[in-house]
mmCIF file of all heavy atoms in Angstrom:
data_model
loop_
_atom_site.group_PDB
_atom_site.id
_atom_site.type_symbol
_atom_site.label_atom_id
_atom_site.label_comp_id
_atom_site.label_asym_id
_atom_site.label_seq_id
_atom_site.Cartn_x
_atom_site.Cartn_y
_atom_site.Cartn_z
ATOM 1 N N LYS A 1 -2.514 9.875 6.130
ATOM 2 C CA LYS A 1 -2.910 10.562 7.356
ATOM 3 C C LYS A 1 -1.688 11.044 8.130
ATOM 4 O O LYS A 1 -1.641 12.199 8.578
ATOM 5 C CB LYS A 1 -3.751 9.613 8.227
ATOM 6 C CG LYS A 1 -4.197 10.217 9.545
ATOM 7 C CD LYS A 1 -5.130 9.276 10.300
ATOM 8 C CE LYS A 1 -4.409 8.032 10.770
ATOM 9 N NZ LYS A 1 -5.272 7.161 11.608
ATOM 10 N N LEU A 2 -0.687 10.183 8.262
ATOM 11 C CA LEU A 2 0.513 10.553 9.021
ATOM 12 C C LEU A 2 1.342 11.606 8.295
ATOM 13 O O LEU A 2 2.080 12.371 8.935
ATOM 14 C CB LEU A 2 1.364 9.314 9.292
ATOM 15 C CG LEU A 2 0.721 8.202 10.133
ATOM 16 C CD1 LEU A 2 1.715 7.077 10.371
ATOM 17 C CD2 LEU A 2 0.189 8.738 11.452
ATOM 18 N N SER A 3 1.229 11.668 6.971
ATOM 19 C CA SER A 3 2.017 12.633 6.203
ATOM 20 C C SER A 3 1.633 14.070 6.531
ATOM 21 O O SER A 3 2.393 15.003 6.241
ATOM 22 C CB SER A 3 1.845 12.386 4.700
ATOM 23 O OG SER A 3 0.565 12.805 4.246
ATOM 24 N N LYS A 4 0.471 14.268 7.124
ATOM 25 C CA LYS A 4 0.011 15.617 7.482
ATOM 26 C C LYS A 4 0.609 16.089 8.813
ATOM 27 O O LYS A 4 0.531 17.272 9.140
ATOM 28 C CB LYS A 4 -1.517 15.633 7.581
ATOM 29 C CG LYS A 4 -2.234 15.290 6.277
ATOM 30 C CD LYS A 4 -3.740 15.232 6.509
ATOM 31 C CE LYS A 4 -4.476 14.821 5.250
ATOM 32 N NZ LYS A 4 -5.943 14.720 5.493
ATOM 33 N N LEU A 5 1.185 15.162 9.569
ATOM 34 C CA LEU A 5 1.715 15.511 10.882
ATOM 35 C C LEU A 5 3.091 16.145 10.778
ATOM 36 O O LEU A 5 3.851 15.890 9.837
ATOM 37 C CB LEU A 5 1.804 14.254 11.762
ATOM 38 C CG LEU A 5 0.506 13.489 12.005
ATOM 39 C CD1 LEU A 5 0.781 12.262 12.868
ATOM 40 C CD2 LEU A 5 -0.552 14.372 12.641
ATOM 41 N N LYS A 6 3.426 16.938 11.763
ATOM 42 C CA LYS A 6 4.762 17.517 11.837
ATOM 43 C C LYS A 6 5.721 16.462 12.355
ATOM 44 O O LYS A 6 5.481 15.839 13.396
ATOM 45 C CB LYS A 6 4.754 18.736 12.766
ATOM 46 C CG LYS A 6 6.085 19.471 12.812
ATOM 47 C CD LYS A 6 6.010 20.706 13.688
ATOM 48 C CE LYS A 6 7.338 21.440 13.719
ATOM 49 N NZ LYS A 6 7.272 22.658 14.560
ATOM 50 N N GLY A 7 6.786 16.235 11.640
ATOM 51 C CA GLY A 7 7.746 15.204 12.013
ATOM 52 C C GLY A 7 8.380 14.628 10.769
ATOM 53 O O GLY A 7 8.199 15.130 9.664
ATOM 54 N N GLU A 8 9.124 13.552 10.937
ATOM 55 C CA GLU A 8 9.930 13.015 9.848
ATOM 56 C C GLU A 8 9.508 11.602 9.434
ATOM 57 O O GLU A 8 9.189 10.767 10.272
ATOM 58 C CB GLU A 8 11.401 12.996 10.269
ATOM 59 C CG GLU A 8 11.994 14.381 10.450
ATOM 60 C CD GLU A 8 13.029 14.415 11.566
ATOM 61 O OE1 GLU A 8 12.617 14.362 12.741
ATOM 62 O OE2 GLU A 8 14.226 14.467 11.252
ATOM 63 N N PHE A 9 9.504 11.370 8.131
ATOM 64 C CA PHE A 9 9.425 10.041 7.545
ATOM 65 C C PHE A 9 10.873 9.605 7.309
ATOM 66 O O PHE A 9 11.499 10.013 6.339
ATOM 67 C CB PHE A 9 8.658 10.065 6.228
ATOM 68 C CG PHE A 9 7.163 9.944 6.355
ATOM 69 C CD1 PHE A 9 6.497 10.385 7.486
ATOM 70 C CD2 PHE A 9 6.405 9.386 5.327
ATOM 71 C CE1 PHE A 9 5.114 10.281 7.607
ATOM 72 C CE2 PHE A 9 5.030 9.272 5.439
ATOM 73 C CZ PHE A 9 4.373 9.719 6.569
ATOM 74 N N VAL A 10 11.401 8.804 8.192
ATOM 75 C CA VAL A 10 12.820 8.435 8.154
ATOM 76 C C VAL A 10 13.001 7.242 7.220
ATOM 77 O O VAL A 10 12.419 6.178 7.435
ATOM 78 C CB VAL A 10 13.319 8.082 9.570
ATOM 79 C CG1 VAL A 10 14.791 7.718 9.528
ATOM 80 C CG2 VAL A 10 13.074 9.248 10.524
ATOM 81 N N TYR A 11 13.826 7.421 6.197
ATOM 82 C CA TYR A 11 13.953 6.414 5.136
ATOM 83 C C TYR A 11 15.386 5.926 4.997
ATOM 84 O O TYR A 11 16.333 6.707 5.017
ATOM 85 C CB TYR A 11 13.487 7.014 3.811
ATOM 86 C CG TYR A 11 13.762 6.166 2.586
ATOM 87 C CD1 TYR A 11 13.256 4.879 2.472
ATOM 88 C CD2 TYR A 11 14.526 6.674 1.536
ATOM 89 C CE1 TYR A 11 13.500 4.108 1.342
ATOM 90 C CE2 TYR A 11 14.775 5.916 0.392
ATOM 91 C CZ TYR A 11 14.263 4.628 0.303
ATOM 92 O OH TYR A 11 14.512 3.869 -0.818
ATOM 93 N N SER A 12 15.526 4.600 4.865
ATOM 94 C CA SER A 12 16.818 4.000 4.544
ATOM 95 C C SER A 12 16.717 3.324 3.183
ATOM 96 O O SER A 12 15.825 2.491 2.969
ATOM 97 C CB SER A 12 17.226 2.956 5.588
ATOM 98 O OG SER A 12 18.367 2.236 5.139
ATOM 99 N N PRO A 13 17.621 3.640 2.245
ATOM 100 C CA PRO A 13 17.587 3.006 0.923
ATOM 101 C C PRO A 13 18.140 1.589 0.911
ATOM 102 O O PRO A 13 18.179 0.951 -0.143
ATOM 103 C CB PRO A 13 18.440 3.947 0.068
ATOM 104 C CG PRO A 13 19.397 4.560 1.035
ATOM 105 C CD PRO A 13 18.644 4.697 2.328
ATOM 106 N N GLN A 14 18.559 1.089 2.061
ATOM 107 C CA GLN A 14 19.031 -0.296 2.131
ATOM 108 C C GLN A 14 17.844 -1.265 2.109
ATOM 109 O O GLN A 14 16.852 -1.044 2.812
ATOM 110 C CB GLN A 14 19.830 -0.530 3.411
ATOM 111 C CG GLN A 14 21.111 0.262 3.513
ATOM 112 C CD GLN A 14 21.888 -0.114 4.759
ATOM 113 O OE1 GLN A 14 22.190 -1.287 5.001
ATOM 114 N NE2 GLN A 14 22.223 0.873 5.577
ATOM 115 N N ALA A 15 17.935 -2.312 1.330
ATOM 116 C CA ALA A 15 16.890 -3.340 1.283
ATOM 117 C C ALA A 15 17.122 -4.308 2.445
ATOM 118 O O ALA A 15 17.930 -5.219 2.355
ATOM 119 C CB ALA A 15 16.929 -4.081 -0.047
ATOM 120 N N LEU A 16 16.388 -4.088 3.529
ATOM 121 C CA LEU A 16 16.665 -4.789 4.784
ATOM 122 C C LEU A 16 15.580 -5.781 5.190
ATOM 123 O O LEU A 16 15.632 -6.332 6.283
ATOM 124 C CB LEU A 16 16.844 -3.754 5.909
ATOM 125 C CG LEU A 16 18.063 -2.846 5.756
ATOM 126 C CD1 LEU A 16 18.014 -1.719 6.775
ATOM 127 C CD2 LEU A 16 19.341 -3.660 5.920
ATOM 128 N N MET A 17 14.600 -6.001 4.333
ATOM 129 C CA MET A 17 13.604 -7.020 4.646
ATOM 130 C C MET A 17 13.019 -7.572 3.351
ATOM 131 O O MET A 17 13.108 -6.943 2.298
ATOM 132 C CB MET A 17 12.503 -6.476 5.563
ATOM 133 C CG MET A 17 11.708 -5.294 5.081
ATOM 134 S SD MET A 17 10.254 -5.770 4.066
ATOM 135 C CE MET A 17 9.438 -6.902 5.182
ATOM 136 N N GLY A 18 12.448 -8.757 3.461
ATOM 137 C CA GLY A 18 11.876 -9.429 2.305
ATOM 138 C C GLY A 18 10.378 -9.581 2.432
ATOM 139 O O GLY A 18 9.884 -10.101 3.437
ATOM 140 N N HIS A 19 9.663 -9.102 1.429
ATOM 141 C CA HIS A 19 8.195 -9.171 1.403
ATOM 142 C C HIS A 19 7.778 -10.303 0.467
ATOM 143 O O HIS A 19 8.128 -10.302 -0.716
ATOM 144 C CB HIS A 19 7.627 -7.842 0.923
ATOM 145 C CG HIS A 19 6.138 -7.803 0.835
ATOM 146 N ND1 HIS A 19 5.315 -8.191 1.873
ATOM 147 C CD2 HIS A 19 5.309 -7.437 -0.173
ATOM 148 C CE1 HIS A 19 4.056 -8.042 1.516
ATOM 149 N NE2 HIS A 19 4.034 -7.592 0.275
ATOM 150 N N ARG A 20 7.047 -11.264 1.015
ATOM 151 C CA ARG A 20 6.695 -12.456 0.251
ATOM 152 C C ARG A 20 5.473 -12.199 -0.631
ATOM 153 O O ARG A 20 4.443 -11.705 -0.167
ATOM 154 C CB ARG A 20 6.423 -13.636 1.191
ATOM 155 C CG ARG A 20 6.384 -15.000 0.477
ATOM 156 C CD ARG A 20 6.209 -16.121 1.489
ATOM 157 N NE ARG A 20 7.258 -16.121 2.490
ATOM 158 C CZ ARG A 20 8.447 -16.674 2.333
ATOM 159 N NH1 ARG A 20 8.751 -17.289 1.204
ATOM 160 N NH2 ARG A 20 9.351 -16.623 3.298
ATOM 161 N N ILE A 21 5.589 -12.559 -1.909
ATOM 162 C CA ILE A 21 4.487 -12.482 -2.854
ATOM 163 C C ILE A 21 4.011 -13.906 -3.119
ATOM 164 O O ILE A 21 4.779 -14.743 -3.590
ATOM 165 C CB ILE A 21 4.926 -11.844 -4.187
ATOM 166 C CG1 ILE A 21 5.605 -10.490 -3.941
ATOM 167 C CG2 ILE A 21 3.739 -11.692 -5.132
ATOM 168 C CD1 ILE A 21 4.700 -9.434 -3.360
ATOM 169 N N HIS A 22 2.762 -14.196 -2.790
ATOM 170 C CA HIS A 22 2.247 -15.545 -3.041
ATOM 171 C C HIS A 22 0.759 -15.499 -3.359
ATOM 172 O O HIS A 22 0.069 -14.512 -3.073
ATOM 173 C CB HIS A 22 2.527 -16.486 -1.857
ATOM 174 C CG HIS A 22 1.951 -16.042 -0.555
ATOM 175 N ND1 HIS A 22 0.678 -16.344 -0.155
ATOM 176 C CD2 HIS A 22 2.494 -15.312 0.454
ATOM 177 C CE1 HIS A 22 0.449 -15.825 1.041
ATOM 178 N NE2 HIS A 22 1.537 -15.187 1.428
ATOM 179 N N ALA A 23 0.265 -16.559 -3.957
ATOM 180 C CA ALA A 23 -1.092 -16.584 -4.493
ATOM 181 C C ALA A 23 -2.158 -16.448 -3.425
ATOM 182 O O ALA A 23 -3.280 -16.020 -3.705
ATOM 183 C CB ALA A 23 -1.308 -17.880 -5.285
ATOM 184 N N ASP A 24 -1.845 -16.812 -2.180
ATOM 185 C CA ASP A 24 -2.843 -16.774 -1.114
ATOM 186 C C ASP A 24 -2.891 -15.435 -0.387
ATOM 187 O O ASP A 24 -3.646 -15.282 0.568
ATOM 188 C CB ASP A 24 -2.544 -17.889 -0.083
ATOM 189 C CG ASP A 24 -2.720 -19.270 -0.681
ATOM 190 O OD1 ASP A 24 -3.552 -19.408 -1.589
ATOM 191 O OD2 ASP A 24 -2.010 -20.198 -0.241
ATOM 192 N N SER A 25 -2.096 -14.466 -0.813
ATOM 193 C CA SER A 25 -2.050 -13.191 -0.108
ATOM 194 C C SER A 25 -3.330 -12.402 -0.333
ATOM 195 O O SER A 25 -4.030 -12.569 -1.335
ATOM 196 C CB SER A 25 -0.855 -12.365 -0.573
ATOM 197 O OG SER A 25 -1.057 -11.892 -1.888
ATOM 198 N N GLU A 26 -3.627 -11.506 0.594
ATOM 199 C CA GLU A 26 -4.816 -10.664 0.489
ATOM 200 C C GLU A 26 -4.720 -9.743 -0.714
ATOM 201 O O GLU A 26 -5.714 -9.467 -1.380
ATOM 202 C CB GLU A 26 -4.982 -9.840 1.773
ATOM 203 C CG GLU A 26 -6.222 -8.969 1.797
ATOM 204 C CD GLU A 26 -7.523 -9.747 1.815
ATOM 205 O OE1 GLU A 26 -7.503 -10.953 2.116
ATOM 206 O OE2 GLU A 26 -8.569 -9.138 1.513
ATOM 207 N N THR A 27 -3.525 -9.278 -1.038
ATOM 208 C CA THR A 27 -3.342 -8.399 -2.192
ATOM 209 C C THR A 27 -3.724 -9.105 -3.481
ATOM 210 O O THR A 27 -4.424 -8.546 -4.334
ATOM 211 C CB THR A 27 -1.885 -7.920 -2.278
ATOM 212 O OG1 THR A 27 -1.568 -7.186 -1.098
ATOM 213 C CG2 THR A 27 -1.676 -7.032 -3.490
ATOM 214 N N SER A 28 -3.283 -10.353 -3.634
ATOM 215 C CA SER A 28 -3.618 -11.106 -4.837
ATOM 216 C C SER A 28 -5.121 -11.311 -4.962
ATOM 217 O O SER A 28 -5.705 -11.185 -6.046
ATOM 218 C CB SER A 28 -2.899 -12.468 -4.826
ATOM 219 O OG SER A 28 -1.499 -12.300 -4.879
ATOM 220 N N ALA A 29 -5.776 -11.626 -3.841
ATOM 221 C CA ALA A 29 -7.227 -11.823 -3.855
ATOM 222 C C ALA A 29 -7.950 -10.538 -4.224
ATOM 223 O O ALA A 29 -8.939 -10.549 -4.971
ATOM 224 C CB ALA A 29 -7.690 -12.324 -2.492
ATOM 225 N N ALA A 30 -7.476 -9.413 -3.704
ATOM 226 C CA ALA A 30 -8.132 -8.130 -3.966
ATOM 227 C C ALA A 30 -7.961 -7.685 -5.415
ATOM 228 O O ALA A 30 -8.803 -6.979 -5.956
ATOM 229 C CB ALA A 30 -7.585 -7.069 -3.023
ATOM 230 N N ILE A 31 -6.870 -8.073 -6.062
ATOM 231 C CA ILE A 31 -6.699 -7.788 -7.478
ATOM 232 C C ILE A 31 -7.714 -8.574 -8.285
ATOM 233 O O ILE A 31 -8.350 -8.053 -9.207
ATOM 234 C CB ILE A 31 -5.256 -8.116 -7.925
ATOM 235 C CG1 ILE A 31 -4.273 -7.124 -7.312
ATOM 236 C CG2 ILE A 31 -5.149 -8.082 -9.448
ATOM 237 C CD1 ILE A 31 -2.820 -7.469 -7.558
ATOM 238 N N ASP A 32 -7.907 -9.834 -7.922
ATOM 239 C CA ASP A 32 -8.830 -10.695 -8.653
ATOM 240 C C ASP A 32 -10.262 -10.170 -8.619
ATOM 241 O O ASP A 32 -10.989 -10.276 -9.613
ATOM 242 C CB ASP A 32 -8.785 -12.129 -8.099
ATOM 243 C CG ASP A 32 -7.467 -12.834 -8.419
ATOM 244 O OD1 ASP A 32 -6.790 -12.397 -9.375
ATOM 245 O OD2 ASP A 32 -7.115 -13.794 -7.706
ATOM 246 N N ASP A 33 -10.707 -9.613 -7.498
ATOM 247 C CA ASP A 33 -12.102 -9.151 -7.413
ATOM 248 C C ASP A 33 -12.242 -7.636 -7.592
ATOM 249 O O ASP A 33 -13.295 -7.064 -7.300
ATOM 250 C CB ASP A 33 -12.757 -9.611 -6.104
ATOM 251 C CG ASP A 33 -12.171 -8.947 -4.867
ATOM 252 O OD1 ASP A 33 -11.398 -7.976 -5.016
ATOM 253 O OD2 ASP A 33 -12.490 -9.393 -3.750
ATOM 254 N N HIS A 34 -11.183 -6.969 -8.066
ATOM 255 C CA HIS A 34 -11.183 -5.544 -8.427
ATOM 256 C C HIS A 34 -11.315 -4.601 -7.230
ATOM 257 O O HIS A 34 -11.498 -3.395 -7.414
ATOM 258 C CB HIS A 34 -12.289 -5.248 -9.447
ATOM 259 C CG HIS A 34 -12.214 -6.107 -10.674
ATOM 260 N ND1 HIS A 34 -11.182 -6.013 -11.585
ATOM 261 C CD2 HIS A 34 -13.040 -7.098 -11.122
ATOM 262 C CE1 HIS A 34 -11.375 -6.898 -12.546
ATOM 263 N NE2 HIS A 34 -12.483 -7.559 -12.300
ATOM 264 N N THR A 35 -11.209 -5.129 -6.029
ATOM 265 C CA THR A 35 -11.257 -4.268 -4.846
ATOM 266 C C THR A 35 -10.113 -3.272 -4.871
ATOM 267 O O THR A 35 -10.283 -2.088 -4.545
ATOM 268 C CB THR A 35 -11.182 -5.118 -3.566
ATOM 269 O OG1 THR A 35 -12.331 -5.955 -3.501
ATOM 270 C CG2 THR A 35 -11.131 -4.240 -2.325
ATOM 271 N N ARG A 36 -8.957 -3.722 -5.277
ATOM 272 C CA ARG A 36 -7.784 -2.862 -5.256
ATOM 273 C C ARG A 36 -7.958 -1.646 -6.169
ATOM 274 O O ARG A 36 -7.611 -0.528 -5.790
ATOM 275 C CB ARG A 36 -6.540 -3.648 -5.649
ATOM 276 C CG ARG A 36 -5.285 -2.803 -5.646
ATOM 277 C CD ARG A 36 -4.035 -3.620 -5.773
ATOM 278 N NE ARG A 36 -2.858 -2.756 -5.760
ATOM 279 C CZ ARG A 36 -1.623 -3.209 -5.688
ATOM 280 N NH1 ARG A 36 -1.396 -4.503 -5.607
ATOM 281 N NH2 ARG A 36 -0.609 -2.376 -5.696
ATOM 282 N N THR A 37 -8.509 -1.868 -7.360
ATOM 283 C CA THR A 37 -8.701 -0.765 -8.296
ATOM 284 C C THR A 37 -9.614 0.302 -7.705
ATOM 285 O O THR A 37 -9.332 1.506 -7.798
ATOM 286 C CB THR A 37 -9.292 -1.282 -9.616
ATOM 287 O OG1 THR A 37 -8.379 -2.213 -10.207
ATOM 288 C CG2 THR A 37 -9.535 -0.145 -10.593
ATOM 289 N N ARG A 38 -10.692 -0.119 -7.080
ATOM 290 C CA ARG A 38 -11.635 0.832 -6.476
ATOM 291 C C ARG A 38 -10.967 1.608 -5.338
ATOM 292 O O ARG A 38 -11.112 2.838 -5.243
ATOM 293 C CB ARG A 38 -12.865 0.087 -5.956
ATOM 294 C CG ARG A 38 -13.841 0.980 -5.192
ATOM 295 C CD ARG A 38 -15.039 0.197 -4.701
ATOM 296 N NE ARG A 38 -14.662 -0.949 -3.891
ATOM 297 C CZ ARG A 38 -14.301 -0.870 -2.621
ATOM 298 N NH1 ARG A 38 -14.234 0.309 -2.010
ATOM 299 N NH2 ARG A 38 -13.989 -1.960 -1.946
ATOM 300 N N GLU A 39 -10.249 0.919 -4.485
ATOM 301 C CA GLU A 39 -9.621 1.582 -3.347
ATOM 302 C C GLU A 39 -8.515 2.543 -3.794
ATOM 303 O O GLU A 39 -8.373 3.633 -3.233
ATOM 304 C CB GLU A 39 -9.067 0.535 -2.376
ATOM 305 C CG GLU A 39 -10.151 -0.273 -1.674
ATOM 306 C CD GLU A 39 -9.588 -1.215 -0.625
ATOM 307 O OE1 GLU A 39 -8.356 -1.195 -0.409
ATOM 308 O OE2 GLU A 39 -10.375 -1.965 -0.034
ATOM 309 N N GLU A 40 -7.744 2.149 -4.789
ATOM 310 C CA GLU A 40 -6.680 3.028 -5.274
ATOM 311 C C GLU A 40 -7.269 4.315 -5.858
ATOM 312 O O GLU A 40 -6.724 5.409 -5.644
ATOM 313 C CB GLU A 40 -5.831 2.309 -6.314
ATOM 314 C CG GLU A 40 -4.917 1.258 -5.715
ATOM 315 C CD GLU A 40 -4.105 0.518 -6.737
ATOM 316 O OE1 GLU A 40 -4.462 0.551 -7.938
ATOM 317 O OE2 GLU A 40 -3.106 -0.119 -6.349
ATOM 318 N N TYR A 41 -8.379 4.191 -6.590
ATOM 319 C CA TYR A 41 -9.029 5.384 -7.139
ATOM 320 C C TYR A 41 -9.455 6.324 -6.008
ATOM 321 O O TYR A 41 -9.233 7.544 -6.087
ATOM 322 C CB TYR A 41 -10.243 4.980 -7.978
ATOM 323 C CG TYR A 41 -11.138 6.146 -8.334
ATOM 324 C CD1 TYR A 41 -10.708 7.138 -9.219
ATOM 325 C CD2 TYR A 41 -12.401 6.265 -7.766
ATOM 326 C CE1 TYR A 41 -11.523 8.214 -9.525
ATOM 327 C CE2 TYR A 41 -13.218 7.336 -8.070
ATOM 328 C CZ TYR A 41 -12.772 8.307 -8.955
ATOM 329 O OH TYR A 41 -13.576 9.386 -9.243
ATOM 330 N N GLU A 42 -10.030 5.787 -4.946
ATOM 331 C CA GLU A 42 -10.440 6.615 -3.816
ATOM 332 C C GLU A 42 -9.241 7.308 -3.176
ATOM 333 O O GLU A 42 -9.326 8.476 -2.761
ATOM 334 C CB GLU A 42 -11.179 5.769 -2.780
ATOM 335 C CG GLU A 42 -12.537 5.285 -3.240
ATOM 336 C CD GLU A 42 -13.257 4.482 -2.177
ATOM 337 O OE1 GLU A 42 -12.819 4.511 -1.001
ATOM 338 O OE2 GLU A 42 -14.261 3.824 -2.506
ATOM 339 N N MET A 43 -8.114 6.617 -3.106
ATOM 340 C CA MET A 43 -6.918 7.229 -2.534
ATOM 341 C C MET A 43 -6.386 8.353 -3.425
ATOM 342 O O MET A 43 -6.007 9.424 -2.935
ATOM 343 C CB MET A 43 -5.828 6.172 -2.317
ATOM 344 C CG MET A 43 -6.063 5.264 -1.114
ATOM 345 S SD MET A 43 -6.189 6.183 0.447
ATOM 346 C CE MET A 43 -4.656 7.112 0.464
ATOM 347 N N PHE A 44 -6.366 8.144 -4.730
ATOM 348 C CA PHE A 44 -5.889 9.197 -5.619
ATOM 349 C C PHE A 44 -6.769 10.445 -5.521
ATOM 350 O O PHE A 44 -6.288 11.564 -5.686
ATOM 351 C CB PHE A 44 -5.831 8.695 -7.069
ATOM 352 C CG PHE A 44 -4.676 7.770 -7.344
ATOM 353 C CD1 PHE A 44 -4.890 6.496 -7.852
ATOM 354 C CD2 PHE A 44 -3.368 8.177 -7.104
ATOM 355 C CE1 PHE A 44 -3.828 5.648 -8.113
ATOM 356 C CE2 PHE A 44 -2.295 7.331 -7.352
ATOM 357 C CZ PHE A 44 -2.528 6.060 -7.860
ATOM 358 N N CYS A 45 -8.049 10.242 -5.231
ATOM 359 C CA CYS A 45 -8.965 11.372 -5.090
ATOM 360 C C CYS A 45 -8.631 12.238 -3.872
ATOM 361 O O CYS A 45 -9.085 13.389 -3.779
ATOM 362 C CB CYS A 45 -10.411 10.885 -5.001
ATOM 363 S SG CYS A 45 -11.093 10.320 -6.581
ATOM 364 N N LYS A 46 -7.852 11.710 -2.938
ATOM 365 C CA LYS A 46 -7.422 12.506 -1.787
ATOM 366 C C LYS A 46 -6.373 13.547 -2.179
ATOM 367 O O LYS A 46 -6.117 14.499 -1.434
ATOM 368 C CB LYS A 46 -6.858 11.589 -0.689
ATOM 369 C CG LYS A 46 -7.874 10.647 -0.051
ATOM 370 C CD LYS A 46 -7.199 9.761 0.984
ATOM 371 C CE LYS A 46 -8.178 8.747 1.595
ATOM 372 N NZ LYS A 46 -9.148 9.411 2.480
#
């Protein structure tokens, strides 16, 4: 949605934060019940 707006996506290639991957995360749960696959397909259709 924001990509359609006039303005800048300001990016730094420096790795400046750590994202934790763990079994209790919502992403892991959504992979298990196939929610992620359905949502990704809908996004690609955009």
Side-chain angles (χ1 to χ4, degrees):
K1 179 175 67 175
L2 298 183
S3 73
K4 298 176 183 178
L5 302 179
K6 185 177 180 179
E8 293 146 286
F9 274 28
V10 181
Y11 171 59
S12 170
Q14 296 184 54
L16 295 170
M17 58 87 54
H19 179 51
R20 194 176 303 277
I21 307 295
H22 58 87
D24 294 330
S25 71
E26 182 66 16
T27 299
S28 296
I31 291 173
D32 290 339
D33 68 11
H34 305 293
T35 296
R36 180 169 180 171
T37 299
R38 175 180 55 79
E39 292 185 3
E40 287 178 342
Y41 168 69
E42 291 182 13
M43 284 301 305
F44 285 123
C45 286
K46 294 178 183 289

